[in-house]
Amino acid sequence: MENNPLVIGGRSFRSRLLVGTGKFPSSRSMVEAINASGSDIVTVALRRVDLADPGDDIMSALDPERYLILPNTSGARDAEEAVRLARISRAAGCEPWVKLEVTPDPHYLLPDPVETLKAAEILVKDGFTVLPYINADPVLAKRLEDVGTATVMPLGAPIGTNRGLKTRDSIQIIIEQATVPVIVDAGLGAPSHAAEAMELGADGVLVNTAIAVAGDPAAMAQAFKLGVEAGRLAFISGLGGLRWKAEASSPLTGFLRRAES
Amino acid sequence: MENNPLVIGGRSFRSRLLVGTGKFPSSRSMVEAINASGSDIVTVALRRVDLADPGDDIMSALDPERYLILPNTSGARDAEEAVRLARISRAAGCEPWVKLEVTPDPHYLLPDPVETLKAAEILVKDGFTVLPYINADPVLAKRLEDVGTATVMPLGAPIGTNRGLKTRDSIQIIIEQATVPVIVDAGLGAPSHAAEAMELGADGVLVNTAIAVAGDPAAMAQAFKLGVEAGRLAFISGLGGLRWKAEASSPLTGFLRRAES
Amino acid sequence: MENNPLVIGGRSFRSRLLVGTGKFPSSRSMVEAINASGSDIVTVALRRVDLADPGDDIMSALDPERYLILPNTSGARDAEEAVRLARISRAAGCEPWVKLEVTPDPHYLLPDPVETLKAAEILVKDGFTVLPYINADPVLAKRLEDVGTATVMPLGAPIGTNRGLKTRDSIQIIIEQATVPVIVDAGLGAPSHAAEAMELGADGVLVNTAIAVAGDPAAMAQAFKLGVEAGRLAFISGLGGLRWKAEASSPLTGFLRRAES
Amino acid sequence: MENNPLVIGGRSFRSRLLVGTGKFPSSRSMVEAINASGSDIVTVALRRVDLADPGDDIMSALDPERYLILPNTSGARDAEEAVRLARISRAAGCEPWVKLEVTPDPHYLLPDPVETLKAAEILVKDGFTVLPYINADPVLAKRLEDVGTATVMPLGAPIGTNRGLKTRDSIQIIIEQATVPVIVDAGLGAPSHAAEAMELGADGVLVNTAIAVAGDPAAMAQAFKLGVEAGRLAFISGLGGLRWKAEASSPLTGFLRRAES
Amino acid sequence: MNITIQLNGRDHPISGSISVLELLRTLDVNPGSVVVERNRSILERDTLDQVTLQQGDEVELIRFVGGG
Amino acid sequence: MNITIQLNGRDHPISGSISVLELLRTLDVNPGSVVVERNRSILERDTLDQVTLQQGDEVELIRFVGGG
Amino acid sequence: MNITIQLNGRDHPISGSISVLELLRTLDVNPGSVVVERNRSILERDTLDQVTLQQGDEVELIRFVGGG
Amino acid sequence: MNITIQLNGRDHPISGSISVLELLRTLDVNPGSVVVERNRSILERDTLDQVTLQQGDEVELIRFVGGG
């Protein structure tokens, strides 16, 4: 198998690691981490201007020539709010791409399958390239494909938990059945988690918290970059199967003993 | 934390990935894989000359200037056989280093703790730098340290099974208590497994089967190289802790709704 | 905490183990297994009469006085087919209860969240007590509750795989948030899996394949009965928390040694 | 397979659950829990008399007619101390049975393989029926068998951690190779863990902390009793294998649709 | 004269226009153990003898089987 | 005379009927870095000076922030 | 005259040379519920009154407690 | 006259008493790539021509192979 670039919505990307911009200690550490990650796609959120501090503006720190700025709809509790947010980002000058998030539950921030599907349908018709964040639900993934989303983004674990690929079995089914890229999003807390997802055949992963809250965000971003490349390379190089009994890595010819005759 | 080199027996190594030379489809693919792995330490085994094919000689393919050739004692069923094998490799011109393996059981090739300790004591006294292959047994690891082994090499799973870090909890205890380098050996079947071991704080990993039996051994060797670097870098960059509830990566200020007053 | 009976749709049941009637080697082994399971709720499916063998009739083997016969809608690929099947079972004289299954994918038989919610809404309005089979999706579970289903039945793993509680984390969230009984359905392959679900606080489990394909179905049914009771009892007795370091079960006073003074 | 009684050292026991007596809130709750557990074998420890409270005596609470009192050697840090403790219990009037524990490390209380084997050899020669507590080390288990121990007691996780069967793979190998009963000891924190061990084919389990620290020790003891019976019964009833794809528990004949002709 | 109905998804010829109950008899199906759907609507058991089958009727004979 | 609009979900009094652009100036908000929604419809940037705020208008000032 | 023994790992003065049984009495320890080790050898219960303690004797009084 | 040695665990007849080096030559084994053990003791390479094989000698010819 060849190592093709990641293609989403007809557009080709070198890196298979997408990074988020939340929770960084500073705008500078964010930029250093993004650069270290080698990422081509960077997510941002929309919020009301803080009238007490109207100056702050993340876009000034991000170079739209270097990365695709991918707005998410975080904060939306239903389809209508999500659609509204997507349109606002487009109006703000972003390309018509959106990471669709509909999360009514504030505790686990898990996505609503019904509202997500409804919003996806509207946004696709409206000309958006839609990347929906979903639970690891293979049937929902197929339905989103059917309405024309550009990817599916199943979660590994709830956002920000660093718990890893807890949904491994379902992700594997989604990958097997999907005809659009599968980007594992949320819950990946270590490079080994990202590598595991890529080894399963995921087309990419999105990481934010694990990088932003690390002791050294830039170094952790590079660690995830390496982990994603390691997992991808292993996937296309053909991993060996699991065995139950041992298989000697050193030859097991009878040795230093009298031959049985 | 800094990314120091790996130091074993007073000798310093850049790479934290050790590779074995068994099971490769050809001598050439073996050499390509070793080079792609970036490894500084390469293990070999001893066997009786095959009188039907006396020509074949692995050493001609390995450059002792580039790697430390580390002979193992695979095939040994007790301490005496292991000691004998170690001395033979030294007589053959190898440096006095040995990967100590004592595996009486041919089905799972699991190490014998008592014979391994006995052999380690003899070989250390005899001037060898001893790297013992052991089950993930924290108390045995301390005892081996006490008799002067240069590392401990606990297994992740039985040799050649590709099952990964099944002994994770015990490995974590060994790492916490060890004062010599901990090299995870055996059973690591994918780069994510190697990365996981390094994220726990292992000092290195040894891989053979997963690389040798891969569809493309050289590419898989590079994948493991990246996985080990990813895990090491994550370890020294300070991984975030696990959480149960979600932690928003996008800010959760009340949004697009009438403020509750 | 007390061990209350399981209450579904205002009706009270002694047993927290629901059993299915598919795949048994014979009608007799099915009946023996149901009795050994102590179950109060038994699921059945609807199919076209086999005109080649019109005689066979499962209902003759099941005593509606002893168990609640719970028809499922297996085979339905969308909401409309599911609703139609539910109405047929009611017409056939069953009580207006239904285990709602909408599974468009024939390979993994995973449920469709959107169609399941749609069918649930219709059937609840139509006076049915609805027990929907769903993926382990906490948000979907809440939405089903909101339209008035009597339970939610998240899967542990795909039907018939015996893989166990692979969705453990999500099930735990569903249990935490649910106000209707949570019955874990599908994939539970061993009594330990059933016990694990009950220890998490599930209100019940449904088992079919693991019992029906066992070497001795009646004995396996009893094993699951014991497993469910064990897990339930442990849940209400207050399980201890996990620890990382050891905690001596024997006192650790200084012992048989000279006291340090 | 039949459900034979557990036979250890030529003696037959009805129950496959062994219980410890440490950490109970009161002597009374201990006795209630032991009775609820249905156990035939109860472990105790030896300690110096507390001269400040010389009255307290656990033996007065335990009826040697009902249970085999099994003294352990907890606290021993080497073979010599363990042997000495075993002999003291025999001198105190106990039968010559001993649960052999040699745990030099106070943090994780993990057993020393070398000292345990040494002590086992001495005690067997001395006429003891020896039940050694060991790490889940298949080769060590065989060596203990070879010197004549009556069982092997591999740990599931460190004592008192409630972490469950973390050593599952190694336990499975031990069970496959053992010719003496395998009793899983330490770390089992819930009935599902005990059931899992029995489903693998373990001959019994020993539980202390999980029962003693439960909110309701007697109820938890009964829960473990049920879990052990569930797992045993499942093991002898023949568990079905795992599958990856779904296997319908309801028949999948084409349904309610026009037949493709 | 003969007519053809669709029975359980397949064409099924019957001789003249008979009642559903008669159909069941010819098929050896016990009316008490099945549900009959005709053109998507469910027939009450006690009406089976009064319903006469027409050319092109879609008839489903359904019963319970083992399921999970 | 004063009017009150709803700004980012809270009542906000303004003196007389000013344009949206003037509102931003008084708030110290750079028009280039925000999106303005008025009564649920998005305003083109180059129209901000032509839109005069009315009593009861719902105005949202939105911008990008870090997010995952 | 007084002597000192080592009792359960600590120095313990006793008045004159008494028997082990007398020691237990003074300590309020029921002989039936303990094992007595003297200089690493276990004493039979029925000999406790015949063994007289000497200066420097190492005595261990041991009993069963709850354990796993 | 012929003698028999044990070579790599099997009986191996050789004609007359030859040196180990001569044995290797007859076997086509390059002395530089193997280790020779005779009766459990390792022979230095430069002594191979001086060691003459005796009836019953146990000879092991060992070399490195791929291993993990």
Side-chain angles (χ1 to χ4, degrees), chain A residues 9-20:
Chain A
R11 188 155 156 176
S12 174
F13 302 93
R14 278 169 295 96
S15 168
R16 290 173 177 275
L17 172 59
L18 291 69
V19 295

Side-chain angles (χ1 to χ4, degrees), chain A residues 47 77 81 248 251 257, chain B residues 23 47 77 81 192 251 257:
Chain A
R47 288 296 178 272
R77 293 187 299 196
E81 290 184 355
R257 300 173 198 111
Chain B
K23 292 196 208 164
R47 289 297 179 271
R77 294 187 299 197
E81 289 183 355
S192 59
R257 299 171 198 112

Side-chain angles (χ1 to χ4, degrees), chain B residues 159-206:
Chain B
I159 292 171
T161 58
N162 289 338
R163 292 174 64 77
L165 207 60
K166 309 299 282 185
T167 55
R168 180 185 167 105
D169 283 13
S170 302
I171 297 270
Q172 203 163 336
I173 296 173
I174 291 173
I175 289 169
E176 177 190 325
Q177 300 184 331
T179 59
V180 294
V182 177
I183 313 289
V184 177
D185 182 13
L188 303 183
S192 59
H193 301 157
E196 183 184 2
M198 298 305 291
E199 289 162 3
L200 286 180
D203 298 282
V205 302
L206 189 152

Side-chain angles (χ1 to χ4, degrees), chain D residues 21 45 47-49 54 72 84, chain G residues 37 60-61 63 65-68:
Chain D
T21 57
R47 290 295 179 271
R48 279 167 169 162
V49 172
N72 67 32
R84 188 170 158 203
Chain G
E37 235 193 20
E60 295 280 350
L61 305 183
R63 73 152 42 115
V65 297

